[in-house]
Amino acid sequence: MVGKNVLEFKGSQYMRQRLILSVVSGKPIKITQIRAKEDNPGLTEYEANLLRLLDKLTNGTWLEVSETGTAFSFSPGALIGGTLTHECCKLRGIGYYLEVLMALAPFCKKPLSIILRGVTCNQKDPSVDSFKQGALPVLRRFMVIDPGLELTIKKRGVEPLGGGEVHFVCPSIKQLKPIQLKDWGKVKKVRGTMFALRVSPALANRMVESAKGVFLNFIPDVFFTVDHLKGQAAGKSPGFGGSLYAETTDGVIFTSDCVSDCSAQSHSVPEDVGRNAAHALLDEISCGGCVDSAFQSLACLYMALTSKDVSKCVTGPLTPYTIKFLQHLREFFGLMFQLEPYRDPASDEFDQDDNRLRLGVNKVELTCVGIGYQKLV
């Protein structure tokens, strides 16, 4: 693969972003110096697994990896979709792969129906519960109609052996509509699920009590369910954890996750896991905005690919991952977002004398004109 149209990058960071935008834009990429100076150089097992997933999702993809695995060239094929099954690497959660699927699925030629097997909740990636409660509503806002977008958790599984299974269904969407999201309202209820896999059901109840004790100081409408699975539905490794979400009066969802430490060096206490999940959700609520911080990049992608009209969205402080994604959008599509500080009318924290945009402090109003992207027909 030789040519001036090949975009070249260095290092393993933000590889998912580059692969997503390569497939959507149709532009080939070349990534070099992948962990070249580390003890274990080259692609990891989960990155190679992701490349195999993209190969299943497309038709005509061309991939060449160097002998050492520290460089590869990727020329994307056409997004096809269809009915698929994929065994995810257990070193990362299923959420690692769901981010890619949710970015690409709306633009597949055929409706996507895929079964993913692996780890449903870990300490690195958003859980499948967070994607179900937090990411799907973001995509629905960009859809004219919702003919069957769904994420079903069939089995749960934690590290190290996994054993979880989820079913993701995304319809074929002709084009995304532009949005105007400026109001996120106030939190009206808190919900969540605590799970205990191959351990005593009492652990889940203890997590519920500790998490509920935190939220009842602020809001009365708090309800958590307990998911104590048995047999194959409980995965292959013991563990416990929870996924919480808060819904606002304007339909905005904030999420948080916490799972027990599976390492042999330490043991998690259920009360601590519940409190940590609650405090993580309170931190997310305090950031505000119309999109959960974990799914800011997905919202930016959808805004960029809408019809040729203006989209606006207010977010909390931009994460470093989102900032890099905006830079990648400029490289692949030549599209630039307008970023402005947003003053929350309900808050006095904004400094009137300092209107400079502080990405790590202020809420940000993102504005862009969609490129009018249309999928392969």
Side-chain angles (χ1 to χ4, degrees):
M1 181 177 62
V2 180
K4 296 182 179 180
N5 294 327
V6 178
L7 297 177
E8 297 191 12
F9 302 96
K10 294 181 180 179
S12 60
Q13 287 188 311
Y14 309 108
M15 186 178 294
R16 280 179 296 173
Q17 294 185 6
R18 295 161 180 170
L19 289 171
I20 288 170
L21 294 176
S22 173
V23 173
V24 174
S25 66
K27 294 181 179 179
I29 61 173
K30 182 177 181 180
I31 301 180
T32 58
Q33 299 183 21
I34 302 174
R35 302 181 182 87
K37 297 182 179 180
E38 297 185 13
D39 294 335
N40 296 314
L43 290 168
T44 61
E45 183 181 344
Y46 57 84
E47 289 167 343
N49 188 279
L50 177 62
L51 291 171
R52 288 193 292 271
L53 175 60
L54 288 175
D55 185 56
K56 292 180 181 179
L57 202 63
T58 58
N59 184 23
T61 293
W62 181 85
L63 175 68
E64 182 180 7
V65 183
S66 67
E67 292 184 2
T68 59
T70 57
F72 73 88
S73 298
F74 179 84
S75 180
L79 271 171
I80 301 300
T83 302
L84 304 171
T85 300
H86 186 71
E87 192 74 32
C88 301
C89 177
K90 298 178 183 63
L91 297 176
R92 296 300 293 261
I94 292 178
Y96 176 84
Y97 302 89
L98 272 177
E99 179 185 336
V100 176
L101 290 174
M102 288 201 63
L104 299 179
F107 312 106
C108 290
K109 182 178 180 180
K110 303 175 184 177
L112 177 65
S113 176
I114 183 169
I115 294 175
L116 298 171
R117 298 189 177 97
V119 175
T120 56
C121 186
N122 65 4
Q123 297 181 340
K124 299 177 183 177
D125 308 292
S127 70
V128 293
D129 296 87
S130 289
F131 273 93
K132 181 177 181 177
Q133 303 297 343
L136 292 190
V138 174
L139 178 53
R140 287 192 179 101
R141 290 182 181 271
F142 290 87
M143 298 168 61
V144 179
I145 57 174
D146 180 10
L149 182 65
E150 187 179 6
L151 179 61
T152 306
I153 304 171
K154 301 288 188 181
K155 303 176 184 178
R156 294 185 182 273
V158 295
E159 293 179 327
L161 300 179
E165 180 177 308
V166 301
H167 186 196
F168 176 53
V169 178
C170 183
S172 181
I173 302 170
K174 184 176 181 180
Q175 196 170 43
L176 300 177
K177 67 177 182 180
I179 61 166
Q180 302 285 326
L181 293 179
K182 290 189 175 183
D183 299 319
W184 57 94
K186 296 182 178 180
V187 173
K188 65 178 182 179
K189 64 181 181 180
V190 176
R191 298 289 184 267
T193 301
M194 302 297 186
F195 60 85
L197 310 178
R198 300 189 178 276
V199 293
S200 170
L203 300 185
N205 295 326
R206 289 163 61 182
M207 286 187 290
V208 168
E209 293 302 318
S210 62
K212 186 180 290 187
V214 174
F215 286 112
L216 288 178
N217 294 319
F218 307 99
I219 186 173
D221 192 357
V222 181
F223 182 76
F224 301 137
T225 59
V226 173
D227 194 4
H228 180 66
L229 302 171
K230 298 180 180 179
Q232 292 184 346
K236 300 178 181 179
S237 296
F240 53 89
S243 179
L244 313 181
Y245 71 93
E247 183 177 347
T248 72
T249 52
D250 286 319
V252 174
I253 304 292
F254 301 110
T255 67
S256 73
D257 300 305
C258 196
V259 65
S260 59
D261 190 349
C262 62
S263 64
Q265 290 79 15
S266 61
H267 299 281
S268 298
V269 179
E271 287 78 7
D272 291 342
V273 172
R275 276 192 295 268
N276 290 341
H279 291 154
L281 183 56
L282 290 175
D283 288 341
E284 189 63 42
I285 293 171
S286 68
C287 291
C290 300
V291 180
D292 187 278
S293 61
F295 310 117
Q296 289 176 353
S297 60
L298 281 176
C300 292
L301 175 66
Y302 299 147
M303 289 173 66
L305 301 182
T306 60
S307 57
K308 296 181 179 180
D309 203 347
V310 177
S311 289
K312 291 180 181 287
C313 180
V314 175
T315 71
L318 294 182
T319 64
Y321 190 81
T322 304
I323 294 172
K324 190 63 180 181
F325 190 76
L326 294 175
Q327 295 171 351
H328 279 141
L329 281 172
R330 181 180 180 182
E331 291 184 74
F332 280 88
F333 292 105
L335 177 68
M336 295 181 63
F337 279 66
Q338 179 179 336
L339 308 181
E340 294 180 335
Y342 179 79
R343 184 180 187 276
D344 181 1
S347 174
D348 296 327
E349 296 177 357
F350 191 88
D351 188 353
Q352 292 279 14
D353 299 326
D354 183 9
N355 287 333
R356 291 176 299 174
L357 179 60
R358 295 174 292 173
L359 298 182
V361 178
N362 298 129
K363 295 177 179 64
V364 183
E365 183 176 329
L366 299 167
T367 305
C368 80
V369 178
I371 65 173
Y373 182 88
Q374 289 187 342
K375 67 182 182 65
L376 176 67
V377 180

